[in-house]
Amino acid sequence: MALIVSIALLVTEHKSPRLDALRSSLSVLVDPVKYLVDAPIVALENAKESISSYSVLKEENKKLREEQFITKSKLLKFDALEKENIRLRALLENSFKLGEQVLIAELLSIRMVPYEHIVVVNKGTRFGVHPQQPVLDTNGVVGQVFRALPFSSEIMLITDLNHAIPVQVNRNGLLTIAVGSGQINRLNLPFLPNNADIRPGDLLITSGLGGIFPPGYPVGVVDNFTPESTKPFPTITATPKAMLDRNRELMIVWSKSSPMPLSVPLTQSPSAPVTKP
Amino acid sequence: MNNYYRFGRILTTMIMAMYLRIAPWPNFIEIFNPDWVLLALIYWTIAIPERVGIFHAWIFGLLTDVLTGRLFGQHALAYSLVSYACIKLHKRLRPFPLIQQELFIFLFLLLSQLLLFWVKNLQTPGQLSPTFWLPVVTGTLCWPIVYKSLRFVRLLRSSK
């Protein structure tokens, strides 16, 4: 009896997402265990913070202040650049996605299963998280929401064997796909020809194709390119930009679903002479 | 009343087993991490098969599926099969010395891992390394610890 039911469950879930409701209600029972596992580690970190000395804190404060100063001055320029970009894109009659809302989520220190790069964070559907949302940290793309449960959600990292992310080489706009390698510090680029214009040190950014990841976020840096004369494809590997195994805070991103409208007053001026009655 | 108390005890040990299952071990230990939930289940089904049955195993299997984010029903399938075997064999298994029990535990863990392997391979073939089978061995080696500690938990009240 139990056998039949479990096999039926296996088949149904493999085929359709109909069991998500059951899973999320059961997860309410199990999620406390996840938080329980996380609790001692959080406590340890808090203790470490509270006994760190005054001078260390002061030093850190100073460093952070300097960093903030620099980033703020960079942002000043960014604002102007963003406006300029929109204007230029309007001239090109190109739509541009802009304005992303982020939610800071904290990693729970648990390991679900070995051999898979799936992490759990403490924000779930109660905060509006939904599957396939991109997840970033301060350095680059981390992964995407794989499954959202009420009190936690599972995030598949870009290095997971089953994960692929559409990327583009920042230097020349070459489009390709970065596939996870199963190692936490490596991505593979298996779909480029031997004569592709790519070299170690190239920055890979999200291309925005595929519609899940917003364009323009750094993904990784190419670190190895060896052409294989006997095979059709070379071996190209990249190192992820994001600190996949070190960060505790992650950003879950809502990218605006509809592209930003072309700014009306701008398009009017060049097109005004054209429209003759 | 006593029944409820007893079941609370079983539930606590199962929760602890789940805790151990997803605790963040360093990478090189993680691949050895045995299936604690199944070990605890095997103990309870051998010790009190009239209280813990296939249904409980199935429920805990489902919870483990949710906990570890697996395809629904694979742990449920494996656990209920293993618990069926345990309940059938419990009279024979109980008087065995620990070493001889370990032989059977090894087979049970292997059966469960085999089923999980089968489901995983249906989903995404050819991704698992041979180290996937290591938890079976470490689980077998951990059996005396599980046995002794759960036996201690089980007899805690009755001795009073």
Side-chain angles (χ1 to χ4, degrees):
Chain A
M1 172 63 195
L3 286 187
I4 297 164
V5 176
S6 17
I7 290 172
L9 275 178
L10 272 175
V11 175
T12 9
E13 192 174 38
H14 194 48
K15 294 264 151 66
S16 75
R18 216 173 300 158
L19 288 170
D20 280 1
L22 177 62
R23 183 183 283 275
S24 56
S25 48
L26 277 179
S27 79
V28 176
L29 287 178
V30 182
D31 271 5
V33 180
K34 293 183 187 170
Y35 283 89
L36 204 67
V37 173
D38 190 47
I41 289 144
V42 171
L44 199 72
E45 250 165 45
N46 283 346
K48 217 190 279 170
E49 243 167 55
S50 61
I51 58 170
S52 65
S53 67
Y54 174 72
S55 59
V56 172
L57 283 179
K58 210 171 157 190
E59 190 102 327
E60 198 179 304
N61 203 334
K62 197 179 154 200
K63 219 164 72 189
L64 285 176
R65 206 171 292 214
E66 275 170 12
E67 222 175 274
Q68 201 204 12
F69 182 74
I70 294 168
T71 39
K72 257 197 173 163
S73 52
K74 269 189 191 159
L75 270 181
L76 279 177
K77 220 167 173 189
F78 177 75
D79 230 21
L81 281 175
E82 197 176 34
K83 284 275 147 55
E84 188 183 334
N85 204 331
I86 292 172
R87 270 202 309 274
L88 290 172
R89 276 178 190 268
L91 286 176
L92 286 170
E93 306 242 325
N94 202 339
S95 63
F96 186 52
K97 276 190 187 174
L98 187 77
E100 276 129 14
Q101 198 190 342
V102 297
L103 174 74
I104 305 283
E106 220 168 280
L107 213 64
L108 295 179
S109 349
I110 63 175
R111 289 295 180 88
M112 306 257 286
V113 269
Y115 316 114
E116 275 177 33
H117 295 178
I118 293 177
V119 296
V120 180
V121 295
N122 65 352
K123 299 277 160 66
T125 46
R126 285 170 50 96
F127 286 87
V129 176
H130 56 83
Q132 296 196 331
Q133 264 182 308
V135 180
L136 314 171
D137 74 356
T138 48
N139 298 308
V141 178
V142 171
Q144 57 176 299
V145 177
F146 171 62
R147 193 178 277 143
L149 301 169
F151 296 100
S152 62
S153 38
E154 296 162 16
I155 288 167
M156 187 183 265
L157 303 182
I158 49 174
T159 49
D160 188 282
L161 271 171
N162 293 321
H163 194 272
I165 176 172
V167 294
Q168 119 184 71
V169 178
N170 196 25
R171 181 165 52 86
N172 52 14
L174 181 69
L175 293 167
T176 183
I177 291 172
V179 181
S181 66
Q183 285 161 289
I184 200 76
N185 56 1
R186 231 180 97 184
L187 290 167
N188 291 334
L189 281 74
F191 305 118
L192 282 174
N194 267 318
N195 59 357
D197 178 18
I198 189 166
R199 46 179 186 241
D202 276 346
L203 178 69
L204 300 172
I205 59 173
T206 49
S207 65
L209 297 176
I212 292 176
F213 293 96
Y217 283 107
V219 176
V221 178
V222 178
D223 57 5
N224 176 29
F225 173 57
T226 34
E228 311 258 355
S229 48
T230 53
K231 289 184 210 155
F233 297 108
T235 13
I236 309 176
T237 58
T239 316
K241 267 285 211 182
M243 306 264 190
L244 291 179
D245 49 351
R246 260 161 284 173
N247 261 13
R248 259 193 91 80
E249 276 90 22
L250 300 174
M251 284 184 288
I252 300 177
V253 180
W254 279 261
S255 44
K256 269 187 188 159
S257 49
S258 59
M260 181 147 160
L262 302 175
S263 48
V264 182
L266 268 172
T267 40
Q268 261 176 3
S269 46
S271 63
V274 184
T275 50
K276 281 170 189 169
Chain B
M1 190 63 205
N2 194 21
N3 268 357
Y4 281 118
Y5 186 78
R6 277 253 172 128
F7 197 72
R9 210 180 279 181
I10 296 169
L11 204 62
T12 321
T13 57
M14 294 308 291
I15 287 173
M16 275 177 68
M18 285 181 175
Y19 183 109
L20 286 172
R21 179 77 199 260
I22 58 166
W25 307 97
N27 249 328
F28 61 97
I29 299 182
E30 190 194 18
I31 53 170
F32 293 101
N33 196 17
D35 194 342
W36 296 102
V37 184
L38 183 59
L39 282 175
L41 255 178
I42 291 176
Y43 177 79
W44 288 119
T45 42
I46 290 177
I48 37 173
E50 67 281 357
R51 199 79 41 74
V52 182
I54 297 176
F55 179 71
H56 295 92
W58 190 76
I59 293 288
F60 279 115
L62 268 195
L63 291 180
T64 313
D65 280 333
V66 176
L67 189 73
T68 54
R70 312 286 67 217
L71 201 64
F72 238 165
Q74 58 187 59
H75 281 99
L77 178 71
Y79 289 3
S80 42
L81 258 182
V82 169
S83 68
Y84 174 74
C86 285
I87 291 166
K88 275 280 162 199
L89 295 174
H90 75 271
K91 279 191 184 139
R92 234 180 292 175
L93 282 174
R94 263 190 221 157
F96 278 170
L98 269 179
I99 301 290
Q100 215 167 337
Q101 273 182 5
E102 276 190 19
L103 202 72
F104 277 86
I105 302 304
F106 180 76
L107 288 180
F108 291 153
L109 292 178
L110 197 65
L111 171 67
S112 150
Q113 201 77 341
L114 197 69
L115 285 167
L116 297 183
F117 178 77
W118 175 62
V119 172
K120 176 78 191 167
N121 254 13
L122 281 184
Q123 222 180 336
T124 47
Q127 283 188 356
L128 290 171
S129 60
T131 50
F132 178 75
W133 303 99
L134 276 177
V136 178
V137 180
T138 47
T140 314
L141 295 179
C142 286
W143 173 249
I145 307 169
V146 175
Y147 182 81
K148 289 271 174 346
S149 52
L150 289 187
R151 191 180 158 80
F152 176 73
V153 171
R154 183 169 67 94
L155 301 177
L156 211 58
R157 175 74 177 276
S158 337
S159 59
K160 268 182 195 173

